[in-house]
Amino acid sequence: MADSTGQEPAELGHTGAVAADPYDRIAWRDLYARSAALRELAAELAARHAHTTDLLADAFLAAYLAAPRVREAAEMAPSRRFNREVVAELAASPGFAALRRETAGDPYAAALAVLAEAPALRLLLDRTEPVREAADRAAEARRSAGRPARTAGETARQAGATAGALGAGATSADGAAGPASAPAAPAGQAASRAEAAARQALEAATPGIRAAARTATAQAVRVTREEAALMRAWGVGHGELERMPYEERARLAERLRTGRLARWAELIGRFRQMADGERARKVENATGELIGVTLGDDLSRVLPSELAHLGLPELRAVFAARYAAGELMLYDSRGEQTTGQGAVIACVDTSHSMYEEGPGGITREAWSKACALALLDQARHARRDFVGILFSAADKLQVFRFPAGRPAPVERVLEFAETFLGGGTSYQRPLSAAAALLAEEFDTAARGRGDIVLITDDECGVTEQWTREWQEARHRLGFRLFGLAVGAPTATASGSVLEALCDNLRPIEDLTDVRAAADLFRLI
């Protein structure tokens, strides 16, 4: 029965299990409006079960809020106490803290967690439909118990109004309230019995809810971690993700999961981590890698034990004499060439043979592209331009430029990583293009000493005229050429073209080994 406003009385208690301010709920509504996947999930569940959209909102808020608080059961509307139990078990799951490290404050990640929890929640809802039906019966019984009292009150008001109009009959109006209130007691007892039955059904279902919540949380942790690792592998930082609109981030995630190199995200991540570790090993202003102790007079490399002699007046003369004779104990180092200041250019072979797989099913292309992406990181860390040149036959070449002073758009990075030209192999055109880019940089910005890295799996010839022009450009610009022969032993053999062209050449036979290129990242 409707009240005097014409509306059915609202159910008492909260419909949301997670306490949240209006701004947090706006975050949920905004994300819900943007995510077709969330809307489809909500529609699917709502077609079979009641109050499921509220459950999804609670699961989102539990993952998203900085300090979520699950309301007590007594605070909840009877029909939503099942939702409250599910969310409470999610929050109590062993993996929930790990999940929140990925999702707190990140609406996209929180929504991803909800979608990952969906299979377990769907199965739970199917199995526990009688529990929610009992809760709905309890809610309806409680509403029904309130109707006689409201009816009696309305009757009394109407009778009082009539008595006032007639000037008599007030006592009969009072008497009318008595019979109308008679059904209240049986209705209240029925509501109490329905609520007790609902509580018993919920208690009986609690072990199953707990197991489903743990399964859902574990799945959400796995999915959110995998996506976070995928983004890190491709060099997409957390700050960049937070600034990215939801739709763009969803498209990016889908592309990374399904792109040509999606299988090799772990390899790309390992390459980038290795390169980062090699950068950390570098020492500012050091002359090279420390390998032992030697004698000399370089005060910048004197051992602490020698410097201690200066603190004793009687040994200062000894120190001075040893310094004059060049006999101080110094840290010895293996010298390295000075790091280039020009661009880092990766020339990556994308001929048909690069499709060939090595150990672990890793293709030569995947290894080469992973190395090139790590070189991109290396260049940006050193504030140097990076250029990726994809080549195969003489008529196939594609150039990707990433200037040091601008962000590297992830879409452009993906395009570089996923492009494959096919065909044969020619060194001359990509190396000539690389030299021309370094010459342009030298002429316009006076930057020399660039670095070119040629990654190939084939050996091919070069003309004598081209070789002379190459050597002239190399002498003028002062660049270095590093060679990586991927699965091509003949390319690194004595007298090969690569050996003649490269300052630093190494064979790559094990495609699972990212350390094979480690010293490359110390030298560039």
Side-chain angles (χ1 to χ4, degrees):
M1 177 183 291
D3 61 16
S4 59
T5 65
Q7 301 295 322
E8 185 68 28
E11 186 180 2
L12 296 178
H14 292 284
T15 57
V18 178
D21 63 37
Y23 295 103
D24 294 325
R25 295 200 175 274
I26 287 173
W28 158 251
R29 288 195 293 271
D30 179 66
L31 195 72
Y32 184 84
R34 293 173 181 272
S35 172
L38 277 178
R39 294 195 303 274
E40 290 170 5
L41 174 61
E44 176 204 340
L45 296 180
R48 299 160 60 189
H49 310 289
H51 319 307
T52 48
T53 302
D54 287 338
L55 176 59
L56 296 181
D58 285 331
F60 169 84
L61 292 170
Y64 171 70
L65 294 182
R69 182 182 72 83
V70 180
R71 289 189 169 101
E72 298 297 327
E75 300 177 69
M76 300 299 300
S79 61
R80 306 305 200 280
R81 285 176 186 163
F82 176 85
N83 288 0
R84 184 262 170 203
E85 193 69 19
V86 172
V87 175
E89 292 296 345
L90 285 173
S93 297
F96 192 69
L99 174 64
R100 285 181 40 73
R101 282 194 288 272
E102 304 290 345
T103 61
D106 186 341
Y108 174 90
L112 183 65
V114 173
L115 293 171
E117 291 165 351
L121 294 179
R122 186 183 293 113
L123 184 60
L124 173 65
L125 290 169
D126 289 341
R127 290 177 175 175
T128 56
E129 182 65 23
V131 179
R132 289 186 312 289
E133 289 176 350
D136 286 340
R137 285 194 297 271
E140 177 58 30
R142 180 53 59 193
R143 283 194 293 268
S144 298
R147 287 171 186 156
R150 287 191 297 275
T151 302
E154 184 63 23
T155 302
R157 284 192 295 275
Q158 291 175 358
T162 302
L166 299 176
T171 55
S172 63
D174 293 338
S181 63
Q189 292 170 1
S192 296
R193 288 194 297 271
E195 289 177 355
R199 281 194 300 273
Q200 291 173 0
L202 186 57
E203 289 172 2
T206 295
I209 295 173
R210 182 175 299 119
R214 292 185 176 188
T215 300
T217 301
Q219 178 71 357
V221 169
R222 184 185 66 79
V223 170
T224 54
R225 279 181 173 172
E226 284 180 356
E227 181 153 317
L230 190 64
M231 294 295 181
R232 286 193 297 270
W234 285 95
V236 186
H238 186 69
E240 185 178 358
L241 289 175
E242 286 187 334
R243 293 189 298 272
M244 198 176 290
Y246 177 86
E247 298 88 342
E248 183 180 344
R249 186 168 170 180
R251 286 195 301 270
L252 173 61
E254 181 64 18
R255 183 174 179 181
L256 293 182
R257 282 193 295 266
T258 60
R260 288 189 61 250
L261 296 180
R263 292 173 59 198
W264 316 125
E266 192 269 339
L267 175 69
I268 293 167
R270 282 197 289 125
F271 247 108
R272 285 181 142 151
Q273 289 172 6
M274 179 273 294
D276 188 59
E278 293 303 320
R279 283 195 296 272
R281 291 179 59 186
K282 288 186 176 182
V283 180
E284 286 292 325
N285 302 317
T287 57
E289 182 181 359
L290 298 178
I291 58 173
V293 176
T294 187
L295 299 178
D297 59 359
D298 186 350
L299 296 177
S300 67
R301 294 190 288 136
V302 174
L303 267 62
S305 58
E306 289 278 36
L307 291 174
H309 294 163
L310 292 175
L312 300 173
E314 60 272 21
L315 294 179
R316 288 174 185 169
V318 175
F319 181 91
R322 294 180 65 182
Y323 172 65
E327 295 179 351
L328 293 174
M329 287 191 294
L330 312 176
Y331 287 117
D332 194 12
S333 63
R334 178 164 49 221
E336 296 177 351
Q337 298 183 50
T338 305
T339 300
Q341 297 299 310
V344 176
I345 301 179
C347 298
V348 182
D349 188 348
T350 59
S351 59
H352 282 310
S353 57
M354 294 292 282
Y355 271 130
E356 187 173 329
E357 294 185 356
I362 298 173
T363 64
R364 296 173 178 179
E365 179 204 7
W367 194 96
S368 301
K369 296 286 183 63
C371 183
L373 291 174
L375 287 169
L376 168 60
D377 288 349
Q378 187 85 349
R380 300 196 72 77
H381 186 270
R383 296 180 177 85
R384 300 168 66 184
D385 291 351
F386 176 81
V387 181
I389 298 179
L390 305 180
F391 71 93
S392 56
D395 61 339
K396 293 185 177 181
L397 188 85
Q398 195 160 346
V399 178
F400 296 82
R401 303 184 72 162
F402 298 91
R406 305 176 199 165
V410 66
E411 293 289 334
R412 186 67 171 163
V413 173
L414 285 172
E415 186 182 357
F416 166 61
E418 294 179 344
T419 298
F420 193 88
L421 302 178
T425 303
S426 171
Y427 295 163
Q428 291 187 185
R429 190 175 177 203
L431 290 179
S432 294
L437 288 168
L438 292 176
E440 176 188 342
E441 184 180 44
F442 181 81
D443 293 338
T444 58
R447 288 200 298 267
R449 293 185 290 117
D451 291 308
I452 302 172
V453 180
L454 176 64
I455 310 175
T456 183
D457 72 338
D458 202 359
E459 170 81 343
C460 69
V462 294
T463 67
E464 185 176 339
Q465 175 64 27
W466 180 89
T467 303
R468 282 197 299 269
E469 293 172 355
W470 171 258
Q471 294 298 348
E472 289 171 3
R474 190 174 187 170
H475 177 73
R476 184 172 80 91
L477 302 173
F479 59 77
R480 297 176 294 179
L481 176 61
F482 298 86
L484 298 173
V486 184
T490 58
T492 58
S494 178
S496 69
V497 173
L498 272 183
E499 185 191 44
L501 290 175
C502 295
D503 300 288
N504 186 308
L505 174 64
R506 75 212 61 210
I508 307 298
E509 298 300 329
D510 183 358
L511 299 184
T512 65
D513 182 15
V514 301
R515 303 294 309 177
D519 64 329
L520 183 70
F521 293 91
R522 288 199 299 273
L523 294 171
I524 290 180

